[in-house]
């Protein structure tokens, strides 16, 4: 941890964990003001948490170590007796009781989590500021499409799109010790920090956000940073699927929509997309055959079951949400004959289920069909063979049936908006 402390202050402002911020002029000039503000706020709240949890003595020890490391980094050859040396720092740490050393180490671990989070927020701010709409962002999908279109023509762009494949493959990282609980805590802190950036936030709401932020930093401090037991392959599978739940599933349609905007321009979301399903995900986690004795056939089967559970739940929630929003009335947006036939087939096979849905959604065929599809996804997940889908193509065919009917009835925004997002996710 002493090495970590000596290395990391280069990338973040060494704001005091106590009430008095102290920094170096060079780092202050290098750090943008919004990021400096975030680091200062998060550091101050962490200082309050440390004082409440371990007393002023704990905060004093943390600050003493922090200042000593900063001084040595500033001038390794310093002869200032107050600054000390790396040997002095090592001796100071070694003199602490084990409990105190562990508390100080955890304090710096939490601080670096928070500082890294502030840096991530600054990168997001920078990207938003650059995205003025005057021209595509450098190296973005829009800039790439515009360049290809200008230099090689529309036909070549179409060929490249048709042949485009992006296939990230997840692999296990047994050295990654950060718990999912820590990741979840940081995500909550990130959301609260982002909320403070909103200029529309009222003073009362801001005060409550600050209170919640203090609470969540306290939770992060009190959460064990390391797992009690070593990760096994199934733990690794669940960690990857947490990333799927929290990020990947939502990012997929955003990525496709960015490409759709780049290709179709102002027509994006109002016409059938020309963007093919170019994104696929793979995973070695729980299935790699590299000699790991803990990856057995049983583990691989369980890994696939866990993945299916997460994917089907995510699709079910999205289908249910979109279905409930499609409250288009039959007389204004009539369903196509093909969609009516599909609803008739569903009612013949599952009269009670369709009767229950239509009782809540009378004369709303699009909502009825998508809520029925959500019920079938649930049945697929729990292996109810009577109602389950036979495979993903059957689910996708139903979504496209709804999309075609909406487009034919003039509801093109609904056909190629959120419903298209769901189709991309399913693909």
């Amino acid at each position: 941890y002493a090495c970590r402390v000596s290395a990391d202050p280069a990338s973040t402002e060494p704001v005091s964990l106590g009430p008095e911020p102290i920094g170096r002029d060079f780092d202050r000039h290098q750090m943008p003001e919004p990021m400096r503000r975030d680091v200062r706020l998060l550091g101050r709240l962490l200082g309050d948490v440390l004082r409440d949890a371990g007393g002023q003595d704990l905060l004093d020890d943390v600050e003493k170590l922090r200042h000593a490391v900063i001084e040595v980094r500033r001038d390794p050859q310093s002869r200032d007796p107050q600054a000390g040396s790396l040997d002095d720092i090592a001796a100071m740490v070694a003199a602490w009781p084990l409990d105190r050393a562990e508390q100080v180490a955890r304090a710096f671990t939490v601080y670096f989590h928070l500082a890294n989070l502030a840096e991530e927020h600054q990168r997001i701010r920078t990207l938003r500021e650059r995205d003025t709409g005057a021209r595509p962002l450098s190296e973005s999908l829009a800039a790439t499409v515009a360049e290809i279109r200008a230099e090689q023509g529309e036909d070549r762009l179409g060929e490249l799109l048709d042949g485009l494949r992006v296939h990230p493959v997840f692999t296990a990282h047994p050295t990654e010790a950060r718990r999912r609980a820590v990741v979840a805590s940081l995500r909550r802190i990130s959301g609260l920090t982002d909320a403070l950036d909103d200029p529309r936030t009222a003073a009362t709401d801001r005060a409550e956000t600050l209170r919640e932020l203090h609470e969540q930093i306290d939770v992060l401090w009190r959460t064990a940073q390391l797992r009690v037991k070593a990760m096994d392959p199934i733990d690794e599978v669940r960690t990857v699927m947490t990333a799927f739940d929290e990020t990947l599933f939502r990012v997929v349609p955003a990525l496709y929509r960015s490409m759709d905007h780049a290709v179709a321009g102002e027509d994006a979301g109002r016409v059938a997309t020309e963007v093919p399903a170019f994104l696929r995900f793979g995973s070695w986690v729980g299935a790699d055959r590299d000699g790991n004795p803990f990856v057995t056939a049983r583990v691989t089967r369980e890994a696939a079951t866990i993945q299916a559970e997460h994917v089907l739940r995510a699709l079910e929630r999205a289908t249910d949400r979109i279905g409930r929003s499609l409250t288009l009335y039959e007389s204004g947006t009539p369903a196509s004959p093909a969609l009516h036939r599909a609803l008739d087939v569903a009612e013949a096979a599952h009269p009670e289920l369709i009767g229950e849905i239509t009782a809540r959604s009378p004369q709303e065929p699009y909502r009825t069909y998508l809520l029925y599809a959500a019920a079938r996804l649930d049945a697929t997940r729990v292996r109810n063979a009577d109602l389950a889908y036979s495979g993903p193509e059957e689910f996708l065919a139903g979504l496209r049936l709804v999309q075609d009917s909406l487009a034919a009835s003039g509801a093109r925004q609904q056909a190629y908006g959120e419903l298209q997002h769901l189709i991309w996710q399913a693909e």
Side-chain angles (χ1 to χ4, degrees):
Y1 278 99
C3 292
R4 175 77 185 271
V5 170
S6 67
D8 273 19
S11 62
T12 58
E13 182 184 20
V15 175
S16 171
L17 301 184
E20 296 298 327
I22 299 175
R24 289 162 291 169
D25 291 340
F26 176 77
D27 283 336
R28 284 186 183 278
H29 288 305
Q30 293 295 103
M31 184 182 295
E33 172 55 32
M35 180 178 169
R36 181 161 59 245
R37 182 191 65 218
D38 285 349
V39 175
R40 184 184 298 118
L41 171 64
L42 296 172
R44 177 177 62 78
L45 292 175
L46 176 59
D48 293 342
V49 166
L50 295 179
R51 187 185 297 105
D52 293 343
Q56 185 63 41
D57 288 347
L58 171 60
L59 184 57
D60 289 344
D61 283 342
V62 171
E63 287 292 271
K64 184 178 180 181
L65 175 58
R66 188 180 64 81
H67 284 300
V69 170
I70 289 171
E71 290 301 323
V72 170
R73 177 181 176 272
R74 176 188 290 160
D75 184 4
Q77 308 302 321
S78 174
R79 297 289 182 247
D80 182 354
Q82 298 299 318
S85 65
L86 285 175
D87 289 340
D88 295 331
I89 292 172
M92 176 174 62
V93 173
W96 285 331
L98 188 59
D99 287 349
R100 175 48 54 90
E102 190 271 341
Q103 285 182 313
V104 172
R106 280 202 298 126
F108 277 100
T109 299
V110 172
Y111 176 71
F112 288 132
H113 280 323
L114 297 175
N116 288 339
L117 186 149
E119 187 175 3
E120 290 171 5
H121 271 270
Q122 184 57 35
R123 286 200 293 268
I124 293 170
R125 283 193 196 99
T126 300
L127 288 173
R128 286 173 177 168
E129 289 169 2
R130 291 175 181 171
D131 190 8
T132 62
R135 63 177 184 270
L137 284 172
S138 176
E139 299 183 356
S140 66
L141 289 174
T144 303
V145 167
E147 183 178 341
I148 294 171
R149 181 177 273 146
E151 294 181 359
Q152 303 184 44
E154 199 72 36
D155 291 344
R156 180 56 178 157
L157 175 62
E159 291 174 5
L160 290 171
L161 276 175
D162 289 341
L164 180 60
R165 295 292 180 272
V166 180
H167 198 152
V169 177
F170 301 103
T171 186
H173 288 281
T175 56
E176 172 58 74
R178 187 158 54 171
R179 299 176 59 207
R180 292 198 301 274
V182 172
V183 174
S185 181
L186 288 170
R187 189 177 298 111
R188 291 191 293 269
I189 293 170
S190 176
L192 292 167
T193 306
D194 195 43
L196 291 175
D197 263 352
D198 190 343
R200 300 169 299 175
T201 303
T204 303
D205 293 335
R206 182 178 178 81
E208 174 58 16
T209 300
L210 286 170
R211 186 206 63 76
E212 290 183 50
L213 191 58
H214 193 165
E215 177 185 356
Q216 290 305 321
I217 291 175
D218 191 52
V219 169
L220 180 61
W221 161 254
R222 297 175 188 277
T223 299
Q225 298 288 312
L226 302 178
R227 295 174 176 85
V228 176
K229 67 180 185 68
M231 291 183 72
D232 61 29
I234 294 302
D235 290 327
E236 293 166 352
V237 171
R238 295 191 185 281
T239 297
V240 167
M241 295 314 295
T242 299
F244 169 84
D245 295 339
E246 300 293 340
T247 304
L248 294 177
F249 190 72
R250 294 196 300 270
V251 165
V252 163
L255 175 64
Y256 279 117
R257 185 59 79 189
S258 293
M259 181 68 86
D260 192 38
H261 276 293
V263 173
E266 294 182 356
D267 287 334
R270 292 184 291 185
V271 298
T273 181
E274 297 179 31
V275 178
F278 60 81
L279 187 62
R280 291 289 185 275
F281 290 104
S283 177
W284 293 346
V285 186
D288 54 319
R289 294 293 184 264
D290 62 354
N292 184 344
F294 299 106
V295 179
T296 63
R298 182 192 63 78
V299 166
T300 298
R301 181 183 179 86
E302 187 173 353
T305 300
I306 292 169
Q307 291 169 352
E309 169 85 9
H310 282 259
V311 171
L312 289 168
R313 278 188 183 276
L315 289 171
E316 178 191 346
R317 286 193 295 266
T319 304
D320 183 82
R321 173 179 56 80
I322 295 170
R324 292 183 185 282
S325 71
L326 282 179
T327 53
L328 287 66
Y329 206 57
E330 169 74 20
S331 60
T333 314
S336 66
L339 182 56
H340 274 300
R341 285 195 297 271
L343 285 168
D344 290 342
V345 169
E347 185 174 15
H350 307 283
E352 291 184 2
L353 175 59
I354 296 298
E356 179 184 343
I357 295 173
T358 54
R360 301 195 307 267
S361 311
Q363 298 299 306
E364 295 174 346
Y366 301 103
R367 185 178 186 184
T368 297
Y369 190 85
L370 285 181
L371 292 181
Y372 170 63
R376 293 195 66 186
L377 288 168
D378 177 65
T380 307
R381 183 175 58 81
V382 299
R383 303 183 185 184
N384 175 359
D386 288 341
L387 186 58
Y389 282 109
S390 60
E393 285 305 324
E394 186 181 2
F395 173 58
L396 275 167
L399 297 182
R400 293 191 179 104
L401 182 65
V402 173
Q403 185 177 60
D404 292 343
S405 178
L406 285 166
S409 294
R412 304 183 72 80
Q413 299 277 8
Q414 288 74 36
Y416 304 117
E418 285 290 312
L419 181 60
Q420 180 61 54
H421 290 181
L422 177 59
I423 290 172
W424 279 324
Q425 286 167 322
E427 287 175 327

